[in-house]
Amino acid sequence: MPVVVAVAVPVPALPALSYRVPDGMQVPPVGGRVRVPLGRRVVTGCVVGDGEDDAGGGSGPRAGSVELRDLLESLDPEPYLPGDVVHLALWVAEYYACGPGEALAAAMPPLAFSRSGSGAGFRMERVVRITLAGHDALVAGTAGRLGPRQRAALQRLAGAGDGLPAARLREDGVAAQTVARLRDRGLVTVDARRVERDPFASADAEPTGSASGAGAREPTPEQRTALEALVALAEERAFRVALLHGVTGSGKTEVYLRLARGVVAAGRRVLVLVPEIALTPAVVETFRRAFGDRVAIQHSGLSPGARHDQWHRIRRGEVAVVVGTRSAVFAPLDALGLVVVDEEHDTSYKQEESPRYHARSVAIVRAQRAGALAVLGSATPSLETFHHARRGRYRCVVMAERVHRRPLPEVQVVDMRAEAAAAGADVVLSRPLGDALEGTLARGEQALILLNRRGFAAAVLCRQCGRTLECPNCSVSLTLHRRAGRVRCHYCNYSGARPSTCAHCAGPYLDTVGFGTERIEADVAERFPGVGIARFDRDTVRRRGAGPSLLARFREGAIDVLVGTQMIAKGHDFPNVTLVGVVSADVGLQVADFRAAERTFQLLTQVAGRAGRGDRPGTAIVQSFHPEHYGIVHACRQAYGPFFDEEMRYRTALRYPPVLSMVNAVVRGRSLTDAMRDAGRLAGELRTAAAAFQVLGPAVAPISRLRGQHRAQIFLKGRNRRAMRSALRAALDANPDLGRRVIVDVDPVSLL
Ligand code: ADP
Ligand code: ZN
């Protein structure tokens, strides 16, 4: 009987394929990479289990063709990915209805699926070391036999303990031929050595590995109580989930850190997930100061090389703690005792391309399999998480006060209907916000101004024909970016020169509607000349390192007012910020999404929570045309409980998550008619299969055209995700041409 293995290949939506292990080849382990023929190509895949040599039968992984083909090469005698990570990826593929190869690709470090060899991707350097014969040559007075250059090089090497990189010698003026000649004479050796690319190369503080800074001060009584509860859970060494519900500024980071210390001291490892490291370097810094070399960082802002090196350090078991973004949930860490998901409500945990996984859900599954504690932390928990906590499935640990009993910010709502009546319809900064800003600056304090829309104007409108300028690829208006002199699509990144006449009627009277961060920046600069103003949004932080450096300048006080999108609402901790202004609380309410109120509540609560984190109390001023909206009202009182209750009434009445589960299927087509027809066909098939769930649609998607493709949508709603997934899979497998045009999103976070 030939040995047959199942191999996941990096091709979308393809199941694992069976291949025969040829005679004489050692059977590759699960998690090992192999080279396999696929059609006429050869690709690198990953062994995920036993295959089936009977192509016709069985329910397991299917054979790619009737004839089983042979593996061409086995790249790893030992598993490249640990078995538990392979199984986690297979769970992701199953749960999120994607191919195992796509899920595994998310778990692999950069370069792992590239050509071959486990050494691929490491950075190597050549190191020159003096030999004993070299030392002898220096001291033996055989000067005549050493040229002056050779002697100088040997002297340099004799003073360097563990040799010197060849590149360094070259910089010091030692020619390559000199080194070659010394090596030929046996006076030096030249070896390749692996160097770790340093992910902290641009950071200023040195890791100390000591207990200085965070973690050294006394925990507050609330922190202590929270810690006691969490430590007790961790010590059970069994799967548990806890929600750390701590208001903004309650000191959650300190709790994670102390908890992590205990887990590491007990010989287990820790995974800490954060939303976006470039925006919130503070958590990384805290852990790095505490754990020094024993912490690894994983996020997409690192160069592929640095990420690769960090991954291998984790894989070799050299670190106790991994801090990273979404994809770090797959970090090859064993003996896991604790998984922390900081700011668990953050939408960046959801990957919006295949595999469309939610890192919070994957983290919980990972903790379950490892018998570890998962801690989800937030001041504004997702409805899903709080729902579980309410029903007792998650342990809820509360920190209701800020550290040192600092007050939460005072929030004032400005009714923009009244402002517009008094000051004109195009008012942007209300009088209360303008006055507060003036006072803040006069006192030498700092302000954050939020508007969750970038660009100068939301749209360009023709006064003659009344049409707005649309993206050529998407059914959305183009945003005006004035300084760049361009119009841009925020969905597909299309960019064009700012037109002077209308594209439809050639009329010359173009006007702008709505405003974005660029406009706010300009208005504030005009009103407060000489004040340091900067903007923090995707446009200004696109360059690697730009985000952290802007934040650092704001922290140092070189910037007084920081205007930005939701990026300024992340976990930042700026003690001198006493004023937070929200130019329009309504931006997020206008979105066609059942989570619009939840998003708005979270954003407002979080951004207001940036004020008054130091010695002086803070104020937030929120402008809105719907000041009576419950999302805004509760955010202004920082009242999570009442918001949750009201939002749950709505979700229950309209049958939305977390009351039940949802799957979104987007059908793409060459025309909207095509897309709607195909979606209708799919909906019909699902309806005949459906007993356990509801099928809604087809409907035109909120963004009916995206990147040149027309889009129709179907929602499945029900309690049984498995039933929904398998019905979808069966319908798509039966219509493979349709399958390629459908995007399946399980537990969708964005419905556009
Ligand atoms: P959160 O994430 O809950 O909003 P942070 O973890 O950012 O809060 O902490 C808020 C601020 O309080 C930070 O400046 C932090 O350094 C400080 N802090 C936290 N715990 C303590 C403590 N026990 N004593 C003094 N300051 C603390
Ligand atoms: Zn577009």
Side-chain angles (χ1 to χ4, degrees):
M1 275 286 275
V3 179
V4 177
V5 291
V7 176
V9 292
V11 176
L14 211 57
L17 306 175
S18 293
Y19 288 91
R20 185 166 38 211
V21 182
D23 294 339
M25 183 188 286
Q26 219 197 333
V27 178
V30 167
R33 293 165 308 159
V34 287
R35 301 281 295 167
V36 295
L38 182 72
R40 273 185 230 128
R41 292 187 292 155
V42 173
V43 299
T44 304
C46 180
V47 177
V48 295
D50 294 336
E52 309 228 326
D53 60 353
D54 170 12
S59 58
R62 289 168 303 164
S65 59
V66 182
E67 271 293 290
L68 272 188
R69 300 173 80 176
D70 281 357
L71 294 181
L72 300 178
E73 193 183 347
S74 167
L75 301 180
D76 308 303
E78 300 293 323
Y80 187 82
L81 275 185
D84 60 339
V85 175
V86 172
H87 290 119
L88 191 67
L90 293 179
W91 177 85
V92 164
E94 170 67 27
Y95 185 94
Y96 293 101
C98 68
E102 294 164 85
L104 276 162
M108 289 274 184
L111 318 174
F113 271 157
S114 66
R115 180 51 195 114
S116 72
S118 53
F122 286 107
R123 179 189 289 174
M124 307 299 279
E125 68 180 5
R126 281 151 38 90
V127 179
V128 186
R129 292 187 183 84
I130 186 167
T131 61
L132 280 178
H135 282 291
D136 285 348
L138 267 182
V139 295
T142 50
R145 299 184 50 224
L146 281 177
R149 292 204 196 97
Q150 295 183 4
R151 162 163 292 275
L154 279 184
Q155 264 161 351
R156 180 91 180 73
L157 285 167
D162 192 31
L164 286 172
R168 175 81 171 282
L169 281 174
R170 257 197 315 280
E171 280 164 25
D172 293 354
V174 179
Q177 298 106 292
T178 310
V179 174
R181 234 164 265 136
L182 287 170
R183 185 190 52 196
D184 291 347
R185 295 177 61 184
L187 303 182
V188 303
T189 58
V190 182
D191 299 303
R193 152 170 100 184
R194 208 160 68 197
V195 286
E196 306 286 349
R197 279 156 286 213
D198 182 5
F200 304 118
S202 62
D204 34 12
E206 278 295 303
T208 59
S210 77
S212 67
R217 58 197 164 196
E218 275 297 295
T220 64
E222 258 196 334
Q223 284 173 328
R224 201 182 297 278
T225 313
L227 260 170
E228 278 164 11
L230 294 172
V231 166
L233 285 177
E235 284 174 353
E236 290 180 30
R237 291 183 164 245
F239 171 54
R240 297 280 180 268
V241 184
L243 163 64
L244 177 58
H245 188 194
V247 296
T248 55
S250 56
K252 294 185 283 295
T253 316
E254 183 84 10
V255 173
Y256 305 144
L257 180 63
R258 286 178 179 265
L259 184 61
R261 280 236 181 85
V263 169
V264 169
R268 298 175 95 197
R269 298 202 161 105
V270 177
L271 176 60
V272 180
L273 299 182
V274 294
E276 277 174 272
I277 286 183
L279 303 182
T280 52
V283 177
V284 182
E285 278 302 307
T286 303
F287 276 86
R288 191 159 71 91
R289 256 184 267 119
F291 288 97
D293 278 352
R294 303 185 65 207
V295 57
I297 308 298
Q298 286 274 287
H299 67 96
S300 57
L302 298 178
S303 68
R307 245 159 84 201
H308 166 275
D309 290 358
Q310 292 281 307
W311 191 91
H312 284 277
R313 282 186 64 215
I314 304 167
R315 182 75 180 98
R316 293 192 301 265
E318 291 171 11
V319 304
V321 181
V322 174
V323 183
T325 46
R326 185 172 71 219
S327 65
V329 75
F330 298 107
L333 202 59
D334 62 0
L336 201 60
L338 171 67
V339 185
V340 172
V341 184
D342 185 28
E343 309 290 3
E344 66 87 36
H345 63 278
D346 200 289
T347 53
S348 65
Y349 285 122
K350 177 67 165 36
Q351 177 147 303
E352 293 295 358
E353 59 195 47
S354 187
R356 297 183 147 71
Y357 67 94
H358 199 300
R360 179 182 64 222
S361 304
V362 182
I364 291 171
V365 169
R366 188 159 191 192
Q368 181 176 28
R369 296 178 170 201
L373 169 64
V375 175
L376 315 179
S378 178
T380 53
S382 62
L383 271 259
E384 283 78 0
T385 295
F386 203 75
H387 183 58
H388 286 314
R390 269 279 169 89
R391 308 178 105 207
R393 289 187 56 191
Y394 298 171
R395 174 71 182 277
C396 192
V397 176
V398 179
M399 296 201 294
E401 288 195 346
R402 285 189 160 180
V403 295
H404 303 322
R405 310 197 134 206
R406 283 172 191 145
L408 280 165
E410 188 91 27
V411 185
Q412 181 192 345
V413 190
V414 178
D415 185 341
M416 290 305 278
R417 290 169 302 200
E419 278 295 305
D426 54 355
V427 57
V428 172
L429 284 190
S430 64
R431 288 159 302 171
L433 181 50
D435 293 348
L437 197 49
E438 193 172 320
T440 303
L441 294 170
R443 288 191 300 275
E445 296 165 2
Q446 291 173 298
L448 287 172
I449 309 253
L450 170 95
L451 175 61
N452 205 10
R453 193 194 292 128
R454 61 198 168 87
F456 189 83
V460 179
L461 176 86
C462 173
R463 282 234 184 262
Q464 190 162 295
C465 72
R467 285 197 263 195
T468 52
L469 197 59
E470 273 213 349
C471 172
N473 314 315
C474 311
S475 57
V476 298
S477 4
L478 291 172
T479 308
L480 174 65
H481 291 250
R482 192 176 70 173
R483 193 168 310 163
R486 301 193 76 78
V487 286
R488 290 194 179 127
C489 172
H490 289 177
Y491 292 88
C492 74
N493 287 330
Y494 165 86
S495 160
R498 178 182 185 170
S500 53
T501 55
C502 173
H504 302 288
C505 73
Y509 308 110
L510 293 184
D511 205 350
T512 59
V513 250
F515 41 84
T517 45
E518 194 187 344
R519 163 78 185 278
I520 308 305
E521 182 192 17
D523 281 14
V524 174
E526 192 182 290
R527 165 136 185 211
F528 301 102
V531 163
I533 298 166
R535 178 156 51 92
F536 195 70
D537 58 24
R538 291 262 168 254
D539 294 322
T540 61
V541 306
R542 193 159 286 152
R543 218 168 19 81
R544 187 178 288 176
S549 96
L550 259 177
L551 294 177
R553 281 171 51 218
F554 188 57
R555 180 177 300 282
E556 289 156 9
I559 296 167
D560 304 300
V561 182
L562 195 60
V563 177
T565 54
Q566 42 84 24
M567 295 166 81
I568 62 169
K570 304 279 169 171
H572 309 300
D573 187 46
F574 301 114
N576 197 35
V577 169
T578 55
L579 175 67
V580 165
V582 178
V583 174
S584 169
D586 310 332
V587 173
L589 290 177
Q590 297 149 1
V591 180
D593 189 321
F594 71 90
R595 288 198 184 85
E598 180 182 356
R599 291 281 147 64
T600 300
F601 173 83
Q602 287 164 341
L603 179 61
L604 295 181
T605 309
Q606 291 288 345
V607 75
R610 301 310 115 204
R613 293 167 76 91
D615 302 332
R616 279 151 301 177
T619 309
I621 294 182
V622 175
Q623 304 187 158
S624 172
F625 281 96
H626 309 282
E628 70 291 340
H629 189 285
Y630 68 98
I632 296 176
V633 170
H634 293 312
C636 291
R637 299 191 189 129
Q638 313 255 324
Y640 183 85
F643 170 76
F644 176 82
D645 291 337
E646 191 153 356
E647 181 68 10
M648 277 305 284
R649 279 201 288 281
Y650 153 70
R651 304 271 178 108
T652 308
L654 296 184
R655 296 172 46 80
Y656 276 121
V659 180
L660 38 66
S661 308
M662 214 164 134
V663 178
N664 182 11
V666 174
V667 182
R668 298 169 293 176
R670 237 179 254 142
S671 68
L672 200 53
T673 320
D674 282 2
M676 284 296 282
R677 188 197 53 231
D678 286 348
R681 187 154 61 103
L682 181 58
E685 289 193 26
L686 290 168
R687 282 205 176 92
T688 56
F693 57 90
Q694 197 186 349
V695 182
L696 299 172
V700 176
I703 295 182
S704 63
R705 202 158 73 96
L706 188 64
R707 297 187 191 90
Q709 286 171 318
H710 295 268
R711 307 159 83 239
Q713 214 171 25
I714 301 170
F715 289 146
L716 310 188
K717 281 183 182 180
R719 278 179 212 290
N720 187 342
R721 274 195 203 85
R722 181 174 311 216
M724 296 192 279
R725 275 194 316 257
S726 49
L728 250 177
R729 181 157 277 174
L732 296 179
D733 281 354
N735 306 280
D737 63 310
L738 185 55
R740 276 187 287 278
R741 277 175 283 126
V742 177
I743 296 169
V744 176
D745 196 355
V746 177
D747 302 343
V749 158
S750 161
L751 300 180
L752 296 180

